[in-house]
Amino acid sequence: MNPRIRRLEADYRELRSRFDGDPSITITPIGPMPPEKYQLIYRVQSLRLDESNSPVRSGMTVVTLTLPADYPRGKPYAETMDPVFHPNFGAYVCIADFWAPGQTLGDIVSSIGDMLQFKKYNIRSPLNAVAAEWANTHAASLPIGTVEIGSFGQSVQVTVSLQPAVDGV
C-alpha cells in the first residue's frame, strides 16, 4: 500500500477516535474511502458580519477540509460555507504559515475550532485586515468561546497514595 493511502486511512481513524461523540463537532467524510475531503460542522461561538458590517456571534460554522493530491507534503485546504469574521479566514482558512507533514489532521480540526472561538489568531499575517484590526482593539474581550474540540468524553484518573513511603520495606 502506498504511503499516502496509509496516511489517509490513519487520519480517518484518528478523526473517528478523537471526535466521534463530541457534541461540538460533526465530521463527515466526503467521497470514497479513505476520504480526501471532509465536511466539518463546528458548534462553537464564532463571528460573522451583520447587515451593518458589525461583528455578531454565530453558533455554527461549516468548513470543508480538502486533502490535496500531494498531501501530506502539501497542506490541507480549508474553506467555510459562509463568511467568518476572523483575521485568518478569507476565501480560505489560513491553517498555518508553515506546514509540517507530521502535523495530524486531528490537530488541524482542533486548531480551526480554536480559531473560530478566537482562542487562536494571527494579526501579523492576516487574510482579513479589518478582522485583524478588530481583534487587536478587542483583545481584552477574546476569546469568545471556551469549547475544547475533541476533549469530549476524555477523562484522566489520577490515583494518589496518602500513605508515607517507608524505606527498606
Side-chain angles (χ1 to χ4, degrees):
M1 181 184 315
N2 83 39
R4 182 173 190 277
I5 298 297
R6 275 197 310 266
R7 173 66 185 263
L8 291 172
E9 288 176 347
D11 286 337
Y12 176 72
R13 284 191 306 273
E14 178 203 10
L15 293 178
R16 294 292 308 265
S17 69
R18 193 164 162 186
F19 301 104
D20 274 3
D22 188 329
S24 60
I25 188 166
T26 301
I27 300 175
T28 306
I30 299 171
M33 296 301 257
E36 295 178 341
K37 190 172 195 175
Y38 293 90
Q39 180 186 64
L40 315 172
I41 301 175
Y42 290 92
R43 290 175 201 81
V44 298
Q45 292 294 306
S46 63
L47 295 178
R48 309 237 188 293
L49 293 178
D50 65 10
E51 303 81 33
S52 63
N53 283 330
S54 297
V56 293
R57 289 180 184 242
S58 175
M60 187 176 83
T61 304
V62 180
V63 175
T64 302
L65 186 63
T66 304
L67 308 175
D70 64 342
Y71 176 81
R73 285 191 192 115
K75 74 178 174 180
Y77 180 80
E79 56 189 342
T80 59
M81 299 299 290
D82 297 309
V84 172
F85 186 71
H86 186 282
N88 309 115
F89 285 65
Y92 64 96
V93 180
C94 183
I95 295 172
D97 288 333
F98 302 101
W99 168 252
Q103 193 170 358
T104 71
L105 204 53
D107 290 343
I108 296 291
V109 169
S110 291
S111 180
I112 292 171
D114 287 347
M115 291 169 71
L116 288 167
Q117 299 176 80
F118 274 86
K119 293 195 292 182
K120 184 177 179 182
Y121 57 94
N122 180 355
I123 60 174
R124 290 193 175 97
S125 177
L127 292 176
N128 183 333
V130 173
E133 180 60 32
W134 181 91
N136 192 40
T137 59
H138 292 83
S141 61
L142 300 177
I144 63 169
T146 59
V147 175
E148 293 295 326
I149 303 288
S151 65
F152 176 75
Q154 295 181 5
S155 63
V156 176
Q157 183 175 8
V158 178
T159 304
V160 178
S161 173
L162 299 176
Q163 297 176 346
V166 179
D167 290 335
V169 176

